[in-house]
Structures are given as structure tokens and as C-alpha cells.
Amino acid sequence: KMAPGIGGFGGHYIIGDKCYVGGTDGVGTKLKLAFETGVHDTIGIDLVAMCVNDIVASGARPLFFQDYYATSKLDVDLAEKVIKGIVDGCEQSDCVLLGGETAEMPGFYAEGEYDLSGSAVGVVKVDKLIDGKNIVEGDILIGLPSSGIHSNGFSLVRRVLEKSGLSLSDQLPINDGITSTVGEILMAPTVIYVKQVLEIISKGGIKGLAHITGGGFTENIPRVFPPGLGAKIITGSWKVPPVFKWLQQVGNIDDAEMWRTFNMGIGMVLVVSREAADRIIEDSHGSNPAYPIGEVIQGKGVCYA
Amino acid sequence: KMAPGIGGFGGHYIIGDKCYVGGTDGVGTKLKLAFETGVHDTIGIDLVAMCVNDIVASGARPLFFQDYYATSKLDVDLAEKVIKGIVDGCEQSDCVLLGGETAEMPGFYAEGEYDLSGSAVGVVKVDKLIDGKNIVEGDILIGLPSSGIHSNGFSLVRRVLEKSGLSLSDQLPINDGITSTVGEILMAPTVIYVKQVLEIISKGGIKGLAHITGGGFTENIPRVFPPGLGAKIITGSWKVPPVFKWLQQVGNIDDAEMWRTFNMGIGMVLVVSREAADRIIEDSHGSNPAYPIGEVIQGKGVCYA
């Protein structure tokens, strides 16, 4: 029997030659943006993404998802929008929506607000479990692009937004030509990497996977490394989306805090052999891009070059 | 792919000869009593119970449990107490705690408050799935005793408590000699029926199982019946615990509302053949009692005789 690691990756439980992997999460204060924008039909995608991306980070295939939706007074139309997003997220991750609970909790939530959590269970053969133990110096870090902020760091995002004086229907002043509104950019649903990552894994050479969530690059990448190894990130090797530049400038946030909070445009990091890296980059294409973003070095933690 | 039935029993998903069963739930406004009594180390048992009792109601054995604990500002001591209860509940149900998430959600919850949800996945061979379809007129209803209110009906309980003027450290005025305080009686953790029910199932003759949760006898028992059949409950056949008599008297609640809200001292109802009923009652003993409480009749719904 296992106690949950607060903040840890999903738990592992081995039965015979199979390892079951659990992933459970919420979407944090991104919900407050959903309340403010009125966009409720994609927050369920974020919810599923947070859980199944953790599972696929062990090389496991998600099997089941269950959700919990709690509010003080049930608004059926609103709940249906949220659940539509959950159903979409389950489809994107080839995962079965096994159950759900809609709880009315008078006096717990402010009017029009709700909380949302989900849990997924996945499975992988024990000998295919990806746990980083074979990572060596010189392995390559491959980044898969995010759609934006994803589902972490929203308390800071909301402070910056307030300070900026922008409304959710404005465009970002730093936008590299992207004309989406602030609300659209911030609410962009989290990428579900399940199908892309399982396909890459099936071709071999994947040694470790880091889902970039709370703690950003700095805290998530080292979690997959054996002792004595660290990551060198080549910061110019991909295009950081303008929303992060805007957050940093308006919020007067130093580089270290940016890297420790946000995904900076990369939502999943693969640690792979050099041979696999060449193949993965060659195979990557428009809708499923993958960039080399750094390498494994002697040391610990993450350094940014 | 399956959409969640709002308020339904856990979902079923068949892979090969196995049916996976999901159960997900919270503990509702019993949490408010936890905040008021300061008893946080058993609410996790309630949480696990609500999920795994739903699973065992399909004849499935719970495999995994995952929890979600959300609060505005994390109080580690408090969270540890809650998680201790979850670990206890998992032990009582032979279930692995596969993962957990502790979420800090500033601005979502009042100071000192939290919400809690959980999900479990269980498994049963498809040909052993218990779904009520073989229930016939004349089958016997067996009741397994509850420990008290369990985890439903607490909004009503709290209104009655307020009306009564009693404090949580008082004894109930209607108490049949039970000297526990109101707080102790109301916070008694939900019985986890997993081991008892799986043992009874293993001996055969179980056709249907109803976990008595929100909706009480009146809504939960008919859910396991084929069309054209109903239940006759012999109301004097077990001793209704004094807390329910007190709630009814002080709250001026009519019989129909009592039966539609509370478990009335019976937390799980088994629908069994007459032969199995005789054996189950003979096998029942001090720590695992089972009473005959009624029978299956032509008709629909539940009547109380």
C-alpha cells in the first residue's frame, strides 16, 4: 500500500508484468479565468490533459478517466459545457470516461464558481516503463510545443493581468502578429501529448519524459534524471511564445522565476539517445513538431545557456 | 466512449472477459461537520467508502484509489490527518492508493475549509458482474447495518441540528442509552462493505446490491431491479438507530422524506435468492451482522410495511 506523494508524479503499482500508473489533478486557478471569460467548454480538456500527460510520462497508455465537479448550486448548462470538454479530452487521449460525480455543496463555492478534479489510470508493461534510469551524459532533450500557459502558474498570470490593465478582450501588446485576445490566449486548452508521445515511444530510444507543469523546466526536468546528471537548455533553440515575453515584461519577473513557473512554450520534454533524437526530429512535422532544446550533462538541476 | 451519468452508479467498461468499474464521489456537506468538530482523520474513510461501496455493488473488487484535496492555503497538519483517513479507508477495502493531488486554490475556499474527492477503479469478470437482471419476485432483501448517517443527507442534518439548539458535545436526547456526543454520532465514518460483501458474493446467490446513499432506500433500491419489480420493506425488521428518530422528531420530517434521504441504519442492501438468504443470515455474526429486511414483489419502487 502506498501513500500519495504530495506533488509527485502519479503512483506506480505493479501486478504481474503490468505497471498501473495513476494521474490525478485539477486545473488550479485557471478556473478563475474560465469564470471571467465565460469559456467553460475547454477547461475539461485541461483537466484530462493534466492527468493523462502525467501518465504518458511513464510510458503508460491511459485507460480510464473519472471526473469530479463540485459547485454550491448546480447549473446544468454550465456543467454540460464542462463535461463536453472532459469528453473531448478523453477522445484526444483514447481514454474511457469511466465515471463522474457532480456534487452540490451549498456554502462551499461562490456563485457561478466550481471546482474540478480528475483522475486517470493507465497501464504499461513493466519492462517498457520509462523512468529515466538509463539516461546518460550526452543524451538529447527534445521539446514538444505547448499551446500557451497550459494549466499552471495562473495565480501569477492573474496578478500580471491585473497589473497590466488589459481586459480579456484586448490583444497582447507583445504579440508577434498573433491577433487572438488575451482571454483566448490564456484559455487555450492544454495540449494532450498522449498519441504523439506513444507513437514516438513505439519507435524506441526514449529514456525519460518530463511533463512541464507547476515548477516549470527547473523543477520538472531533473525529476527524471539519475543522480549526478543535469540538463543544459539552449534557450534560443525554440521560439518562446509572445505571451511569456509579455508576462515577464509586465510582471517584471526574472528569468529564474519564469523557468521555475512556466513551460515557456514547451509542454513535454523527452530525454532520448542521440540516434533517436535524429530520427524524432526528422519524423516531426507541421502538426506534431519536436525540437532539440538541450542535452544531458554532468551535474544537477537545469542550467540555461 | 461513455458519458458520465449524473448521479448514476459507477461506469462499466469491458475489456475481454473483464469489466472495469469506476466509482467517484465526494463526502458532501459532511465536510462542514468535520470543520465544526475538528475531526479530520476519518473523513478520508468516508471518501473511500463512498467510492468503493459503489464499486462492490457491481460485484467488483476495488483495485486503485486516487484522491484530490483542495484548499485555499495548505495546512500540512490538517492535510496529513485527512490523508491518514484515506490510507485507512484503502486498507479497509484492500485497495491501492495509486495517486493523490493536493491543490492550493487561493480564493476558492473559506479559511480552514477544503473540498475532497476521490475515485476508485475495480474489476470483476464479466460473467460475475452483479447487475440485478436475475432478480425475481420472492427474492429476499438482506440489510447490512450502517454506522449512522454515513455521508449523505448532511444539509438536512445540519438544519435539524441548528433547530435543535444542541451543541456537538451534547448527548442526543433520544439515545437508547448511547452516550456518544452528537459530534461523534454524526461523524462516525461510513462502513466500508467491501470485504464482507465480496465474501458473501463468493458463496453465491447474490443477484443485486444497492449502496444506500443520497436518495435513501426509496431511490437506491429500485435501481437494481428489472422492470415490473419493486421492494417491500418490513420496517420493524431491524432497529433504526436513535439518531434517525431524533432527526425525524426534531426536524418534523415525514416518513417518506426520511426513507428518501437517509439509510435508516442499513447502508447496503443485498437482493438474494431465498436459499442464499437463509445461509447468509445463518453465517452472519456479531461483527458482520445481516438482517432480512424485506422482499421483492410485483410492482415498482419501494413500499414500506
Side-chain angles (χ1 to χ4, degrees):
Chain A
K1 304 299 183 286
M2 208 181 63
I6 290 181
F9 278 129
H12 288 180
Y13 186 72
I14 293 171
I15 302 178
D17 66 340
K18 286 177 181 167
C19 181
Y20 291 87
V21 182
T24 181
D25 216 336
V27 292
T29 52
K30 188 168 186 173
L31 283 173
K32 290 275 187 190
L33 258 297
F35 307 152
E36 288 162 17
T37 57
V39 176
H40 298 283
D41 59 348
T42 55
I43 198 82
I45 297 177
D46 290 297
L47 181 69
V48 176
M50 292 302 289
C51 298
V52 297
N53 287 343
D54 268 357
I55 285 176
V56 83
S58 294
R61 180 173 55 87
L63 296 170
F64 310 120
F65 188 81
Q66 299 190 73
D67 73 286
Y68 173 79
Y69 174 96
T71 188
S72 283
K73 185 162 175 9
L74 184 60
D75 173 340
V76 174
D77 289 344
L78 184 57
E80 279 181 356
K81 283 180 190 163
V82 173
I83 290 167
K84 177 199 169 293
I86 293 171
V87 170
D88 289 348
C90 288
E91 282 177 5
Q92 288 183 29
S93 48
D94 265 344
C95 186
V96 173
L97 185 51
L98 190 59
E101 167 67 8
T102 303
E104 269 194 308
M105 310 275 282
F108 274 70
Y109 297 94
E111 194 181 334
E113 299 201 350
Y114 55 86
D115 196 7
L116 200 57
S117 66
S119 69
V121 175
V123 69
V124 57
K125 286 209 172 157
V126 169
D127 59 0
K128 301 282 186 190
L129 191 62
I130 295 177
D131 56 8
K133 70 174 189 293
N134 298 323
I135 293 172
V136 295
E137 185 183 3
D139 282 342
I140 302 298
L141 305 181
I142 302 276
L144 307 183
S146 67
S147 60
I149 309 289
H150 283 183
S151 307
N152 291 100
F154 273 86
S155 294
L156 179 53
V157 167
R158 288 172 57 242
R159 282 198 299 275
V160 173
L161 181 61
E162 196 180 339
K163 187 179 172 194
S164 75
L166 287 182
S167 91
L168 291 164
S169 55
D170 288 333
Q171 288 182 20
L172 284 181
I174 300 173
N175 61 34
D176 295 3
I178 296 168
T179 59
S180 312
T181 65
V182 171
E184 288 164 350
I185 288 168
L186 297 181
M187 286 302 293
T190 305
V191 175
I192 292 179
Y193 295 103
V194 170
K195 291 182 186 176
Q196 185 183 5
V197 165
L198 289 178
E199 194 191 327
I200 293 173
I201 289 172
S202 73
K203 296 179 181 168
I206 309 301
K207 300 180 175 187
L209 290 152
H211 180 205
I212 308 302
T213 58
F217 272 55
T218 307
E219 291 181 16
N220 285 294
I221 295 177
R223 288 163 65 180
V224 305
F225 286 170
L229 296 177
K232 182 172 76 176
I233 298 294
I234 310 297
T235 56
S237 57
W238 75 97
K239 195 176 163 312
V240 173
V243 64
F244 296 105
K245 298 178 200 163
W246 170 77
L247 284 166
Q248 179 161 24
Q249 185 176 311
V250 176
N252 193 24
I253 302 167
D254 65 28
D255 284 352
E257 188 173 356
M258 291 298 292
W259 290 111
R260 207 189 309 114
T261 307
F262 296 114
N263 67 59
M264 304 298 277
I266 300 291
M268 183 73 79
V269 174
L270 286 54
V271 189
V272 308
S273 65
R274 286 186 173 266
E275 298 72 36
D278 292 342
R279 192 190 63 236
I280 292 163
I281 292 156
E282 198 167 297
D283 284 355
S284 74
H285 48 78
S287 62
N288 279 320
Y291 321 118
I293 63 165
E295 64 179 307
V296 178
I297 57 173
Q298 297 283 342
K300 65 174 192 170
V302 183
C303 71
Y304 301 92
Chain B
K1 302 297 182 284
M2 210 179 63
I6 289 182
F9 279 130
H12 287 182
Y13 187 71
I14 292 170
I15 302 178
D17 66 342
K18 287 176 181 166
C19 180
Y20 290 87
V21 182
T24 182
D25 215 336
V27 292
T29 53
K30 188 169 187 173
L31 282 173
K32 290 276 187 190
L33 257 297
F35 306 152
E36 288 162 17
T37 57
V39 176
H40 297 283
D41 60 348
T42 54
I43 199 83
I45 298 177
D46 290 298
L47 180 69
V48 176
M50 292 302 290
C51 299
V52 296
N53 287 343
D54 267 358
I55 285 176
V56 82
S58 295
R61 179 173 55 88
L63 296 170
F64 310 121
F65 187 82
Q66 298 189 75
D67 74 285
Y68 173 78
Y69 174 96
T71 188
S72 282
K73 186 164 175 6
L74 183 61
D75 173 340
V76 173
D77 290 343
L78 184 57
E80 279 181 356
K81 284 181 190 162
V82 173
I83 291 168
K84 177 198 169 294
I86 294 171
V87 170
D88 289 347
C90 287
E91 282 176 5
Q92 288 183 31
S93 48
D94 266 343
C95 185
V96 173
L97 185 51
L98 190 60
E101 168 68 8
T102 304
E104 268 194 308
M105 309 275 282
F108 274 71
Y109 297 94
E111 195 182 335
E113 299 200 350
Y114 54 87
D115 196 8
L116 199 59
S117 66
S119 69
V121 175
V123 69
V124 58
K125 286 208 171 160
V126 170
D127 59 2
K128 301 282 185 189
L129 192 61
I130 295 178
D131 57 7
K133 70 174 190 291
N134 298 324
I135 293 171
V136 295
E137 185 183 3
D139 282 341
I140 302 297
L141 305 183
I142 302 276
L144 306 184
S146 67
S147 59
I149 309 289
H150 282 181
S151 308
N152 292 100
F154 273 87
S155 294
L156 179 53
V157 167
R158 288 171 58 241
R159 282 199 299 276
V160 173
L161 181 62
E162 196 180 338
K163 187 179 172 194
S164 76
L166 288 182
S167 91
L168 291 164
S169 54
D170 288 333
Q171 288 181 18
L172 285 182
I174 300 172
N175 61 34
D176 295 3
I178 294 167
T179 59
S180 312
T181 65
V182 172
E184 288 164 350
I185 288 168
L186 297 181
M187 286 301 293
T190 306
V191 176
I192 292 179
Y193 296 102
V194 170
K195 290 182 187 175
Q196 184 183 6
V197 165
L198 289 178
E199 195 192 325
I200 293 173
I201 289 172
S202 73
K203 295 178 180 168
I206 309 301
K207 300 180 175 187
L209 290 152
H211 180 204
I212 309 302
T213 57
F217 272 55
T218 307
E219 290 181 17
N220 285 294
I221 295 176
R223 288 163 67 180
V224 304
F225 287 171
L229 295 177
K232 182 172 76 175
I233 298 293
I234 311 297
T235 56
S237 57
W238 75 98
K239 193 174 162 314
V240 173
V243 64
F244 296 106
K245 298 179 203 163
W246 170 76
L247 284 166
Q248 181 161 23
Q249 185 176 310
V250 175
N252 192 24
I253 303 166
D254 65 28
D255 284 352
E257 190 174 354
M258 291 299 291
W259 290 111
R260 208 189 310 112
T261 308
F262 297 113
N263 67 59
M264 303 298 277
I266 300 290
M268 183 73 80
V269 173
L270 285 54
V271 189
V272 308
S273 65
R274 286 187 173 267
E275 297 73 37
D278 293 340
R279 191 190 64 236
I280 290 164
I281 291 154
E282 198 168 297
D283 284 355
S284 75
H285 49 78
S287 62
N288 279 321
Y291 320 119
I293 62 166
E295 64 180 307
V296 178
I297 58 173
Q298 297 283 344
K300 66 173 188 170
V302 182
C303 72
Y304 299 92

